[in-house]
Amino acid sequence: MASVETIETGRTVNWIGFNEKLSRSLQGEYLKQFGHRNQNELSPEVIAFRDALDSFPVPIRVLYIDNGKPAESIHTLIQLDLSRPSSVEAEFLGVVPVNELDLSVLRDRFGIEAESAAELTPATYFDTAGRFITQVLPYAIGDAPDRYSNDLYEFLRSGFWDVIQAKFRKSVDYKAKYGVPSDPILPPSDLLTYRQIVTNVQTGEPPSVEDWQAMVSDIVLIPQVSEHVKRTFRIAKQLFIFSYFEYGFSVASQHYAFLALEAALQTRWTLTLPLPTPVEWGDGNRTEFQRLPMHKDLYKRWKFDRKMLINGKRFPYSTFELLRVLRKKGIITRWQGERIESAIHLRNELSHLEFATVTPAYAATLSVTAELINAMFDSVARES
């Protein structure tokens, strides 16, 4: 069909020109976002997105559907043929009243299976191989090319992102480049094998899995401890248990125990705040949180406003500032504070490794950490 069509919206649309403009708009939007960056500043994902947009224009097929409604009566059915990049082809199939819509046209020309025209609501269809995109839009795209290019760009950047990455992302297969073999797939009998060094002194036999679990089963947190602290500590216990099969999990268990302790400090400080929580900004403005804020959320704001005051006090931005405040409030003792400081130093060492530290499994680390967390929350009123 000719690329220049007079349509019932009262406009004459050059669909080849529309397709060319669509391509320029998509690539122009990319340049606005990323054009100021050099090639080596772009992630492989962004480069893949750029390459996908560079494949435009692609052949388009357009059908207008008149639903007979006063507001935006024309709907658009458009298919983009992504299997034929760098082609400006455009086919306009005219305007069809919705009650005269031939469902075979939907199936054969647009790949949409529908039992009635009523099913044709605004939507986007595509295949995971990235060969086509079919869209039903609640407006005449020929009358609103900028609107459509914006809508398409947002879809490509969000809903179609994974397809673009699978099709366009270029990466080095280092495994193939250096001939590195895959790890063997082990049967459960080999994978779930005892790999600790502890043995029963009397029998010389290793402990059972049940014995290993029993080492930490009584190490629990009290009800007042917040759920996200409990969740982190639960991971620490699970890592300890699975160190039965993988020696290195012992260190990861200690690391997570110290992460739970740090989270406990943040949460316990938050529970000292009143409701609503007054916050004063460096410019003199003031606001109130109706719910207790999270320490990490406040920290993000503090990074941009170092004069921020919480409940009239300086924001305790670091772990050691939190320790100072909680000690001043009598929530932790000096002795507890010193033990917590030691744990935080250990956490830092485990977080910034040049080589993988391997140590034996210490249930005592979990026990001491749980005791410190429970001591902090013991003074919190328990919900009935």
Side-chain angles (χ1 to χ4, degrees):
M1 215 167 179
S3 62
V4 179
E5 294 291 338
T6 301
I7 59 176
E8 293 181 9
T9 58
R11 289 193 53 183
T12 299
V13 179
N14 181 335
W15 287 104
I16 287 181
F18 174 91
N19 202 7
E20 291 174 333
K21 181 179 180 181
L22 175 64
S23 173
R24 291 194 301 269
S25 296
L26 293 173
Q27 293 157 9
E29 190 62 33
Y30 168 86
L31 289 175
K32 281 196 292 185
Q33 282 194 287
F34 303 105
H36 61 286
R37 299 186 181 183
N38 295 324
Q39 172 82 8
N40 62 5
E41 296 176 312
L42 299 174
S43 70
E45 291 79 13
V46 171
I47 292 173
F49 184 52
R50 180 201 64 193
D51 291 347
L53 295 180
D54 285 345
S55 70
F56 282 79
V58 299
I60 61 173
R61 177 177 294 133
V62 180
L63 173 67
Y64 276 174
I65 302 172
D66 188 348
N67 59 22
K69 297 179 181 178
E72 290 192 327
S73 62
I74 299 296
H75 281 203
T76 301
L77 185 57
I78 179 172
Q79 184 175 80
L80 298 96
D81 184 355
L82 304 179
S83 67
R84 294 192 288 151
S86 302
S87 173
V88 78
E89 293 178 30
E91 182 181 13
F92 180 64
L93 303 183
V95 184
V96 178
V98 67
N99 57 357
E100 298 178 14
L101 184 60
D102 187 344
L103 298 182
S104 66
V105 173
L106 298 183
R107 182 185 64 250
D108 299 337
R109 306 303 299 275
F110 293 93
I112 297 177
E113 294 285 351
E115 294 183 1
S116 71
E119 294 181 23
L120 207 63
T121 56
T124 297
Y125 309 86
F126 60 91
D127 72 336
T128 55
R131 290 169 297 193
F132 71 88
I133 296 172
T134 300
Q135 294 181 297
V136 183
L137 302 156
Y139 57 93
I141 62 172
D143 293 344
D146 292 338
R147 177 180 176 182
Y148 178 60
S149 66
N150 288 337
D151 288 348
L152 180 59
Y153 185 87
E154 288 304 313
F155 168 72
L156 294 173
R157 195 180 65 169
S158 54
F160 206 61
W161 184 263
D162 290 344
V163 178
I164 287 174
Q165 297 307 312
K167 189 173 182 179
F168 288 93
R169 190 180 188 277
K170 299 178 180 67
S171 58
V172 178
D173 186 347
Y174 289 103
K175 179 179 178 296
K177 181 177 180 179
Y178 290 95
V180 181
S182 300
D183 292 336
I185 306 300
L186 302 175
S189 58
D190 289 345
L191 186 65
L192 303 179
T193 299
Y194 180 70
R195 289 187 173 86
Q196 285 290 343
I197 59 175
V198 179
T199 57
N200 186 300
V201 176
Q202 295 178 335
T203 66
E205 295 294 321
S208 66
V209 175
E210 291 79 10
D211 292 335
W212 202 257
Q213 293 178 72
M215 293 171 68
V216 294
S217 63
D218 289 335
I219 303 173
V220 296
L221 300 180
I222 62 177
Q224 295 96 309
V225 177
S226 63
E227 185 54 39
H228 59 271
V229 174
K230 288 180 178 177
R231 189 182 306 121
T232 305
F233 192 75
R234 193 177 303 123
I235 294 173
K237 289 180 65 174
Q238 288 295 99
L239 285 166
F240 177 90
I241 292 169
F242 281 93
S243 72
Y244 184 91
F245 307 110
E246 180 57 55
Y247 192 88
F249 284 3
S250 304
V251 176
S253 171
Q254 293 180 55
H255 192 193
Y256 260 82
F258 299 145
L259 290 176
L261 182 58
E262 187 172 18
L265 287 171
Q266 296 171 352
T267 305
R268 187 62 186 90
W269 170 78
T270 300
L271 292 175
T272 67
L273 300 176
L275 272 179
T277 304
V279 179
E280 298 172 48
W281 312 107
D283 59 5
N285 288 324
R286 186 177 186 277
T287 188
E288 289 184 342
F289 287 99
Q290 300 304 315
R291 291 184 175 183
L292 286 178
M294 292 186 67
H295 183 274
K296 290 191 183 301
D297 291 336
L298 292 173
Y299 177 76
K300 291 177 184 177
R301 300 184 181 215
W302 173 84
K303 286 199 298 184
F304 295 99
D305 187 352
R306 300 297 176 97
K307 296 181 180 179
M308 181 178 72
L309 298 177
I310 311 296
N311 196 30
K313 302 294 175 61
R314 185 178 68 178
F315 173 64
Y317 59 90
S318 70
T319 300
F320 297 105
E321 281 291 302
L322 287 167
L323 276 172
R324 181 186 62 80
V325 172
L326 294 178
R327 279 182 56 181
K328 188 175 181 180
K329 290 180 175 292
I331 293 172
I332 59 175
T333 66
R334 180 170 181 173
W335 173 79
Q336 290 167 339
E338 289 174 353
R339 299 206 77 173
I340 293 172
E341 281 190 27
S342 298
I344 298 306
H345 284 305
L346 287 171
R347 185 202 72 85
N348 290 335
E349 290 182 11
L350 293 174
S351 298
H352 308 289
L353 298 176
E354 190 173 351
F355 60 90
T357 302
V358 179
T359 61
Y362 291 120
T365 300
L366 295 174
S367 179
V368 171
T369 303
E371 181 182 356
L372 292 170
I373 294 174
N374 287 336
M376 273 190 273
F377 284 84
D378 188 39
S379 56
V380 176
R382 183 175 177 179
E383 294 183 1
S384 57

